[in-house]
Amino acid sequence: MGGDITIWVEVLALVTVTSVPLLQALGRRLLGMAAPPPTAAPPPTAAPPPADPGDPGDLSAAFVTCPNETVAKELARAMVEKRLAACVNILPHVTSVYSWRGKLEEDGEVLLMIKTRSSRVPALAAFVRSAHPYEVPEVVAVPVTQGNPPYLQWVRDSTDP
């Protein structure tokens, strides 16, 4: 038994002595591959010019509530077809609590989230008033001052000025 341990210790010592320099050389080689050669030019540091973000506030997100999904889809399609909106998200199953003619009301509705140019909000509101079944439809808009520049440009490109 004691001889077996001695043999294993000698084998381990031999493997350690022969493999450590090999592993060190391999490590140096791998680290050398990660760093540029000393004669190589440094990589360029200049960042590409930023995309034109447009004027802050030239885009808006508008919100309109509808009585059901059928009305919501009809209005959304018409807004996009008329280039009043680039995109309309339809969010089903919202609950609205409001006061109407002195009475507290609570109704299930569908919410439209509309991305458009701020300059198109008056035309959008006029369209909603003419096509919406509510006596006083909701149309509220807030300016979009930041976002993904390519997406914001797509909204501009997809709507009439």
Side-chain angles (χ1 to χ4, degrees):
M1 180 91 160
D4 289 342
I5 292 177
T6 304
I7 291 173
W8 281 111
V9 168
E10 289 173 0
V11 169
L12 182 59
L14 180 62
V15 168
T16 302
V17 168
T18 58
S19 63
V20 166
L22 180 63
L23 291 173
Q24 289 173 334
L26 180 62
R28 281 192 300 274
R29 181 166 175 116
L30 289 172
L31 288 174
M33 289 170 54
T39 58
T45 57
D52 179 16
D55 296 327
D58 74 326
L59 299 179
S60 289
F63 302 91
V64 173
T65 50
C66 299
N68 56 54
E69 284 195 47
T70 301
V71 170
K73 287 179 181 179
E74 289 172 1
L75 290 174
R77 285 187 184 109
M79 289 175 199
V80 173
E81 287 172 357
K82 294 176 181 294
R83 297 181 54 90
L84 293 168
C87 175
V88 180
N89 300 115
I90 300 172
L91 289 75
H93 313 297
V94 297
T95 301
S96 297
V97 178
Y98 57 98
S99 176
W100 180 248
R101 297 190 173 149
K103 184 178 172 192
L104 186 63
E105 301 283 347
E106 183 175 320
D107 288 314
E109 292 184 297
V110 176
L111 179 65
L112 302 180
M113 187 171 70
I114 305 154
K115 277 71 75 177
T116 189
R117 290 176 181 259
S118 297
S119 62
R120 297 301 281 157
V121 171
L124 177 73
F127 168 75
V128 170
R129 283 192 306 273
S130 71
H132 202 288
Y134 288 171
E135 183 180 339
V136 181
E138 170 189 8
V139 180
V140 295
V142 294
V144 174
T145 58
Q146 294 183 357
N148 179 17
Y151 178 82
L152 300 179
Q153 188 58 51
W154 172 79
V155 172
R156 288 181 195 95
D157 294 344
S158 299
T159 53
D160 289 336

